[in-house]
Amino acid sequence: MDLKVFITTGESTCGECGEELGRRAWITLVEDKGALCLSCADLDYLYFLPAGDAALTRRSRKYSKLSAVVLKWSRARKRYERQGLLVEKEALDRAEGESLADAEVRERRREREAARRAELDQQYVRQFAARIRELFPGCPPGVENEIAEHACQKYSGRVGRSAAAKALDERAVELAVTAHVRHVETEYDSLLSMGIERWEARNQVAGRVDRVLARWEMKGN
Ligand SMILES: [Zn+2]
């Protein structure tokens, strides 16, 4: 089941965290709450694959436990138009791996990675990663960089972009690490993709998340 993410035209505010998202924010629509930022919707972990490569898109969707179609309203055509797909990084890597014989695919991957890197504030990523290592010394080597990069992505509403995270607030770092653990170390994404409500899915994986975090908080892991 594909979830839908909309790129807004007007101003919007997240119905859960209350953050002003501004124009052209990436949101999901949820009954009773209206717009939700991708962070609150737990979709901020997904990678954006722009439309245009049908084979890569098809493969990425197939391998991704959770995926979302990104839509933008076209004033001219008066309809939503597909901009691409949000998929899990592992799924994108695997799909790209299968297509790597194709030189064009390789080139596009390089471009996409370069664009993503250029958007990141590298110094901030390093600080965020160091803070993760400090708070979670048992975190597997390298994982702190992955989490920090995700947290610093410029998608609207991502944890790392909030004022609290800018100050490398302990709570903000914990949120970013918790989100990572939930997505990578539990079956949370599969539950969401089955249409299970977020609160229910979170309840189901809460014990496992707590156990992983407790391990990462200890040194010498
Ligand atoms: Zn929010």
Side-chain angles (χ1 to χ4, degrees), residues 14 16-19 36-37 39-40:
C14 176
E16 196 157 297
C17 68
E19 193 172 329
L36 282 197
C37 71
S39 184
C40 286

Side-chain angles (χ1 to χ4, degrees), residues 185-215:
E185 306 273 339
T186 77
E187 70 281 17
Y188 184 68
D189 287 356
S190 302
L191 295 173
L192 286 188
S193 74
M194 289 189 281
I196 290 172
E197 293 280 347
R198 269 180 312 134
W199 62 268
E200 199 189 326
R202 281 189 179 206
N203 277 345
Q204 286 194 32
V205 303
R208 166 103 185 116
V209 169
D210 286 346
R211 281 193 297 279
V212 173
L213 289 178
R215 212 167 62 221

Side-chain angles (χ1 to χ4, degrees), residues 10-175:
E11 298 283 330
S12 58
T13 303
C14 176
E16 196 157 297
C17 68
E19 193 172 329
E20 305 272 353
L21 304 173
R23 288 169 169 276
R24 299 180 58 80
W26 294 43
I27 59 153
T28 53
L29 294 173
V30 175
E31 232 176 302
D32 305 331
K33 283 190 174 158
L36 282 197
C37 71
L38 294 195
S39 184
C40 286
D42 284 330
L43 297 176
D44 60 346
Y45 235 80
L46 303 178
Y47 270 58
F48 181 55
L49 173 64
D53 185 326
L56 189 58
T57 298
R58 183 170 39 75
R59 286 192 180 122
S60 300
R61 174 192 272 126
K62 187 172 80 183
Y63 298 139
S64 198
K65 292 190 289 288
L66 184 64
S67 60
V69 179
V70 179
L71 300 162
K72 193 164 96 182
W73 179 254
S74 161
R75 284 220 184 98
R77 298 199 182 84
K78 302 220 182 325
R79 60 179 163 90
Y80 282 103
E81 291 190 318
R82 186 178 283 245
Q83 307 297 304
L85 201 63
L86 285 168
V87 291
E88 287 159 353
K89 183 175 186 297
E90 300 71 35
L92 182 56
D93 286 346
R94 186 172 166 195
E96 280 177 330
E98 289 182 3
S99 314
L100 274 184
D102 181 349
E104 210 181 318
V105 168
R106 251 194 332 261
E107 180 57 26
R108 267 200 300 274
R109 175 187 205 169
R110 218 169 14 243
E111 283 169 12
R112 208 166 43 242
E113 284 292 308
R116 209 171 56 76
R117 289 260 145 64
E119 278 184 7
L120 294 176
D121 176 341
Q122 293 298 345
Q123 191 189 350
Y124 180 54
V125 172
R126 278 195 300 274
Q127 284 173 349
F128 203 100
R131 193 81 174 100
I132 291 171
R133 176 60 54 200
E134 201 177 297
L135 294 169
F136 297 93
C139 165
V143 170
E144 74 270 31
N145 297 322
E146 199 184 315
I147 298 173
E149 283 200 3
H150 276 289
C152 299
Q153 294 276 349
K154 281 189 174 171
Y155 285 145
S156 197
R158 279 178 183 258
V159 173
R161 301 298 298 170
S162 70
K166 278 276 173 202
L168 302 177
D169 172 80
E170 186 170 331
R171 181 74 191 131
V173 174
E174 273 173 17
L175 282 176

